[in-house]
Amino acid sequence: MKAFIPVVIAASLCLGGCQTPIIRGATNIEPPTKGVYVGGLYKPIGGSSRSSAPVNLIRICTVSTTLSEFGVPAPEGNAIADIDLLATRKLSASVSGLNVAVAKAGLSGTISDYYEYKIVNAYSYELGLADASTVFAKLMKKADCRTQVAEELASGSVVQVTKAYVGDIVFRRKTGASLSGELSAPAVQAALSRDTDLSFKGKGMVFAFVGKTKTGTGY
């Protein structure tokens, strides 16, 4: 069946200056990026048809984090490379401003030479299309979920997450240079927090791959 068109939704991460996010073909996700489960169904809101425009996901149907209720094995995590958040489009404006502060302070290089803001220990979790179809079909047997999906499809589309990337967010100073004022750790965090919903430590979602439908018939 071809009702679903494979697309990608990402957590607002794009290499600075690039025309597409880190994963080719991706669309940015605005908050909330928590509570997004592989296999779950969501309504995309906000954003536009432009590939670089952010999209927000609102959950339609609840899915078990283990997927055991669907007779589908939980996806296993596969390690991926660290993600440099300072090199993303989401933070490009803040990073540019901080680079100006670096120059004004008489320091060489860029803010990335003095601080790192990364997602480390990152893993990808993927649900194969056959299992995704199984989950979708069983969700459609639930009257409340079927009704919700039908209502959303009447005015838009529904997405099903089939792959997600999750890791630990870390922020730390890289150099022993004296950094104060606009370049102190609290000031840098304040500048960066204006452009992202991510915290400076803890675990967070990096990307979510999804399938998209306008008919609700599954993969």
Side-chain angles (χ1 to χ4, degrees), residues 127-138:
L127 188 66
L129 295 187
D131 285 341
S133 181
T134 296
V135 172
F136 185 88
K138 291 188 176 181

Side-chain angles (χ1 to χ4, degrees), residues 5 13 21 39 47 52 62 72 76 82 101 105 115 123 126 132 145 151 153 164 168 170-171 177 184 213 215-216:
I5 303 170
L13 305 178
S52 61
T62 301
V72 172
E76 296 183 3
D82 294 349
Y115 289 97
Y123 284 81
E126 182 172 12
C145 183
E151 290 176 351
L153 289 174
D168 298 317
V170 297
F171 175 84
S184 65
T213 183
T215 63

Side-chain angles (χ1 to χ4, degrees), residues 70-139:
F70 305 101
V72 172
E76 296 183 3
N78 295 305
I80 62 171
D82 294 349
I83 302 296
D84 183 2
L85 295 174
L86 292 178
T88 66
R89 176 184 294 172
K90 181 72 172 179
L91 295 181
S92 60
S94 292
V95 168
S96 294
L98 291 169
N99 287 340
V100 170
V102 168
K104 286 183 177 179
L107 301 172
S108 60
T110 66
I111 194 64
S112 294
D113 294 311
Y114 300 93
Y115 289 97
E116 63 178 6
Y117 186 26
K118 293 183 176 181
I119 297 180
V120 302
N121 302 322
Y123 284 81
S124 65
Y125 297 86
E126 182 172 12
L127 188 66
L129 295 187
D131 285 341
S133 181
T134 296
V135 172
F136 185 88
K138 291 188 176 181
L139 281 171

Side-chain angles (χ1 to χ4, degrees), residues 2-27:
K2 298 181 180 180
F4 272 83
I5 303 170
V7 297
V8 181
I9 288 186
S12 302
L13 305 178
C14 178
L15 292 175
C18 66
Q19 295 303 308
T20 58
I22 291 175
I23 303 298
R24 185 174 296 277
T27 299

